């Protein structure tokens, strides 16, 4: 665990997850961290949203929010085309909404600037 990190909400620093739960590589066009588990401070509504543009065009998903400050921090994909099917049911954090605390270096860094070791899911 050289690369262990804790994921914090950019808005209020609440802990949302960690790098031990990473389970996939980000797809082209989406700047996300893909996790199979998050903390209880991540919430989502029962209502589905539909992507109207970009990489989530035509996809149905639940928006993830920080329980403490309400910031939108990611999504759970409900339905998609075959290219994103492997993400269905997983927690996808927007890198722009997350700050990483690197345990080894005791550094705080933007999630978009961290390169975690490759983790892949079997399709």
């Amino acid at each position: 665990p050289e690369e262990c990190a804790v994921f914090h909400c950019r808005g209020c620093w609440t802990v949302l997850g960690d790098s031990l739960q990473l389970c996939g590589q980000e797809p082209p066009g989406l700047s996300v961290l893909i996790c199979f588990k998050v903390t209880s401070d991540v919430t989502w509504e029962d209502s589905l949203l539909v992507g109207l543009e970009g990489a989530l065009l035509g996809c149905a998903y639940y928006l993830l929010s920080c329980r403490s400050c309400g910031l939108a921090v990611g999504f759970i994909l409900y339905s998609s085309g075959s290219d994103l099917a492997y993400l269905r049911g997983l927690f996808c954090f927007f890198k722009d909404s997350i700050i990483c605390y690197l345990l080894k270096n005791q550094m705080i860094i933007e999630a978009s600037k961290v390169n975690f070791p490759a983790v892949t899911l079997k399709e």
Side-chain angles (χ1 to χ4, degrees), residues 7-11 16 26 29-35 38 42 49 55-56 61-66 70-77 91-100 110-112:
F7 306 143
H8 294 266
C9 170
R10 176 181 291 283
L16 305 175
E26 68 185 84
L30 280 173
S31 184
V32 293
L33 295 173
I34 304 160
C35 299
V38 295
V42 177
L49 300 174
L56 293 178
Y61 60 92
Y62 298 101
L63 190 65
L64 299 176
S65 301
C66 172
L71 180 69
V73 294
F75 62 91
I76 301 171
L77 200 56
F91 299 93
C92 299
F93 286 129
F94 299 131
K95 286 185 174 181
D96 290 348
S97 300
I98 303 297
I99 297 289
C100 295
E110 301 281 330
S112 58

Side-chain angles (χ1 to χ4, degrees), residues 30-49:
L30 280 173
S31 184
V32 293
L33 295 173
I34 304 160
C35 299
F36 65 87
K37 198 173 178 183
V38 295
T39 70
S40 60
D41 287 312
V42 177
T43 63
W44 57 94
E45 298 290 322
D46 287 336
S47 56
L48 285 168
L49 300 174

Side-chain angles (χ1 to χ4, degrees), residues 81-94:
S82 59
D83 57 332
L84 296 178
Y86 70 99
L87 292 179
R88 291 181 197 150
L90 298 173
F91 299 93
C92 299
F93 286 129
F94 299 131

Side-chain angles (χ1 to χ4, degrees), residues 1-8 10 18-20 22 24-26 30-34 93-96 98-119:
E2 288 283 310
E3 302 290 323
C4 283
V6 178
F7 306 143
H8 294 266
R10 176 181 291 283
D18 62 57
S19 61
L20 296 176
L22 287 173
Q25 295 304 318
E26 68 185 84
L30 280 173
S31 184
V32 293
L33 295 173
I34 304 160
F93 286 129
F94 299 131
K95 286 185 174 181
D96 290 348
I98 303 297
I99 297 289
C100 295
Y101 175 73
L102 303 178
L103 298 177
K104 182 180 180 187
N105 315 45
Q106 298 179 355
M107 289 176 46
I108 296 164
I109 191 166
E110 301 281 330
S112 58
K113 293 185 168 81
V114 179
N115 290 317
F116 291 103
V119 181

